[in-house]
Amino acid sequence: MISALWVMIGISLLLGTVLGYSALKFKVEGNPLAEKIDAVLPQTQCGQCGFPGCKPYAEAIAKGEVGINKCPPGGEEGIQKLADLLGVEFQPFGEGAAPKAKALAFIDEQTCIGCTLCIQACPVDAIVGAAKQMHTIISSECTGCELCLPPCPVDCISMNQVGEDIGSWKWQHPVIIPIKIAA
Amino acid sequence: MRTLFSFHGGVHPATHKAESTRTPITRAAIPSKLVIPLWQHVGNRSVPIVQVGDHVLKGQKIGRPEGKLSSAVHASTSGTVSAIDMQLVAHHSGLPDLCVTLIPDGKDEWVTHAGVDIAHTAPAELRHLLRKAGVVGLGGAVFPSDLKTDAHHHQMRTLVINGAECEPYITCDDMLMRERALDILHGAELLRELLQAEEVLIGIEDNKPEAIAAMQLAVTQAGYRKMEVLSVPTVYPSGGAKQLIRILTGIEVAAGVRSTEKGVQCFNVATAYSAWRALAHGEPLLSRIITVTGNVSHAQNFEVLIGTPLNELVALAGSQPDTTRHIMGGPMMGVDLPSGTVSVTKATNCIIASSPKLFPPPAPALPCIRCVRCADVCPADLQPQDLYWFAKSNNFGKAQEFNLADCIECGACAYVCPSNIPLVQYYRYAKSEIHARSVEKLAADKARERHDYRQFRIEREKTEKAQRLAQKERDAAAAKASFDANLAATENAQQQTINEAIERAKAQAVGTHALNTEALTPEQLAKIAAVDARRAKLHELAANAGADDEPPKS
């Protein structure tokens, strides 16, 4: 009886030590769930979710503080992906949070006064320019977040919808025309 | 006799090739205008290097290649550039793209051009010349040939020359082989040299006996020992590059794998011909052989300048009033052209004038009954019924797992489908969605990286600023301390000097006495005594002044 007790205590001490050691040794930096969520988010860094960027929103979702339907650029497909990832129900977009067609910012270079305010606002450094010099958007880097619009004192930035050309054209889902059967 | 292999499946649609092989290739007349698209190849669109109003010569470059994966575009005849704008082009989308419109002057005046001594030119230089000549794959894929002639340090065993031409109606390669076999072989030999391949296998379907005979004769005439013309069984799609490689060598090339990694490369016969014309004669790719067939009075092959408007070309073969639409390519894989005004490109191998009688509209699609006839005929050995299911339900991950990327969109599945389901359209839809998603993913990853870097930079700038500020404060404190210390030191030093001076004066005072006080006369002594007495009295008065509050009277 006593020896059995000692064996059990010994085993529990050993296992406890191993577990404690590995908890320190193999500690995972950051929140792996937040990173997975962040990988699904569209990375426009637009702040429409109410968080300063995609990562903070991902962290908030991971903590369960906020719904998964706050990201309009991700579209309904993005919500579906998040729902699949987190094993929760699909939630439709709330009021006033409908996804918009993808657009890129464009600076009217005639009007730009070179104030650098938009450069400071751009979350992905997609605007080049310097004080009192004309600014311009690197369209290949622009995520269409619209964060550069409010700070501009002369309203020289507009959002141009990305048109479809041969390079970006996609095949559509075939349309099945239902056959009408005479009653 | 070499043993041939076979690929899985395949179908046997009616070939309809006899109609257009009755007359030899005719050179099409120079049209009233040429609309030359700047994007006729896989990769980046060429950049126009001419201006509206410029006079250009035949063979003059009008679009330069942009980036590695691109090709040049040339003026197909001499004339004046009348516009550089967006025009409808021969593409599935029916969208416009940048084109150079050329009004021919009718002189067909060549730019100065000359071939190179191929034997004494470096391979890299030859590849560069192919790029400059705008040579791309003429089998339909229009991949720049200069990139395909680079073996990427792989040991090349076989160069496959594709003369199979398996798709119904198309006979342009057949006629080219019949009439210009020697030039094709020279081109094949040139490509073999570039790739350093051990052998050249020319695969031709056995429904083209004239082409096979012409090519075999030419091989004997030219005396190329490493070349062999092989007759392959007629089955659609044996002319697919992967399928022909499989038939001739037994090698299977998976999606995403370069065939050069497996020691084999494949070129179309027309590409070999154009490569030879480009290098040996200095002629850029300005024209190609196009079959005009279907609902026309006399179907035949034409040598057509790139950029010729479709309706002018079809008119040469005798267009019929009941033609409703035009198909570029064959009936299995062809592109429905958006309008009769689009121009022919390097990818145009065939134009089929179509009428409701010739190609009746497809019967409405019915539900899939999972008969798996599509799986039986799939040349890529896929499960089209499953791929259809996944594509229809937007389950793209599953579609990728079932190797959708290996689908060559040959249309054999849709051809046999008893439910008339437009299967290929579903696969194309799924493929383009998958592609768009991967592009979006890349963009998102880049945006994340840039955003993270920006956050890092802002953080770093903040830290640096704080450090600078702290340093400044430390410096200021240190400066003040050292000033105080200096001040104190100076004061100390001054005090020291004063003290020393006092000490010196004291010391002097002890050791000296006034010389003029010695040996005084009695009168002088009396005077001093009187002064001393007065002084003593004054001192006494001053001492008493505070006591009786009366000013002393002097």
Side-chain angles (χ1 to χ4, degrees), chain A residues 57 78 100 163:
Chain A
Y57 179 46
K100 274 192 265 184

Side-chain angles (χ1 to χ4, degrees), chain B residues 59 95 100 160 196 298 305 347 409 488:
Chain B
L95 290 171
V100 174
V160 170
Q196 294 288 304
H298 43 276
L305 296 178
E409 302 173 19

Side-chain angles (χ1 to χ4, degrees), chain B residues 157-237:
Chain B
R157 221 173 66 77
T158 311
L159 168 63
V160 170
I161 297 293
N162 189 344
E165 200 165 57
C166 58
E167 189 151 356
Y169 287 94
I170 309 175
T171 57
C172 59
D173 291 349
D174 185 4
M175 295 309 289
L176 188 76
M177 286 188 287
R178 289 190 204 185
E179 297 185 17
R180 302 176 192 178
L182 259 179
D183 275 358
I184 297 174
L185 294 189
H186 293 324
E189 178 63 14
L190 162 79
L191 296 170
R192 189 194 66 75
E193 279 290 327
L194 279 174
L195 285 162
Q196 294 288 304
E198 290 166 21
E199 55 173 2
V200 179
L201 301 181
I202 304 168
I204 307 171
E205 274 193 349
D206 56 12
N207 61 359
K208 292 182 259 299
E210 296 92 340
I212 295 171
M215 292 292 275
Q216 270 167 346
L217 182 69
V219 170
T220 331
Q221 276 175 356
Y224 291 129
R225 284 153 195 272
K226 294 170 179 173
M227 251 180 221
E228 201 174 333
V229 178
L230 295 165
S231 157
V232 301
T234 300
V235 53
Y236 179 84

Side-chain angles (χ1 to χ4, degrees), chain B residues 340-358:
Chain B
T341 59
V342 299
S343 57
V344 305
T345 68
K346 294 174 184 177
T348 313
N349 47 9
C350 179
I351 298 288
I352 305 177
S354 164
S355 67
K357 210 168 76 190
L358 192 64

Side-chain angles (χ1 to χ4, degrees), chain A residues 38-39 42-43 45 77 120 122-125 140-141 143 164-167 169-174 176 179, chain B residues 39 89 91-93 95 97 364 392 425-426 428-429 432-433 436-437 444 446-448 450-451 454 457:
Chain A
D38 191 39
Q43 305 301 322
Q45 317 292 355
E77 204 182 314
Q120 293 161 39
C122 180
V124 289
D125 288 335
S140 62
E141 313 295 347
T143 64
E164 196 174 45
D165 70 350
I166 286 189
W169 175 79
K170 289 196 290 186
W171 284 90
Q172 295 303 305
H173 195 287
I176 304 291
I179 310 162
Chain B
W39 205 358
V89 291
H91 189 265
H92 287 289
S93 63
L95 290 171
D97 200 50
K392 193 181 176 187
Q425 281 188 42
Y426 282 99
R428 283 174 167 164
Y429 159 69
S432 71
E433 285 296 324
R437 275 168 177 66
K446 195 159 86 172
R448 182 186 296 115
R450 289 179 77 87
H451 180 66
R454 182 173 188 270
R457 196 191 67 220

Side-chain angles (χ1 to χ4, degrees), chain B residues 240-293:
Chain B
K242 289 177 179 181
Q243 280 63 38
L244 193 63
I245 288 171
R246 167 86 185 143
I247 294 172
L248 298 181
T249 65
I251 295 168
E252 280 192 22
V253 184
V257 178
R258 278 204 196 105
S259 65
T260 46
E261 288 172 34
K262 305 262 184 179
V264 52
Q265 183 62 290
C266 181
F267 282 96
N268 181 265
V269 283
T271 317
Y273 173 78
S274 307
W276 173 253
R277 297 302 300 182
L279 295 187
H281 301 275
E283 294 171 8
L285 184 49
L286 304 181
S287 63
R288 64 159 299 151
I289 314 295
I290 297 175
T291 310
V292 183
T293 183

Side-chain angles (χ1 to χ4, degrees), chain B residues 118-138:
Chain B
I118 292 165
H120 296 102
T121 310
E125 177 63 20
L126 291 178
R127 273 182 213 117
H128 186 60
L129 288 172
L130 282 179
R131 175 176 159 98
K132 268 171 53 180
V135 178
V136 295
L138 297 180

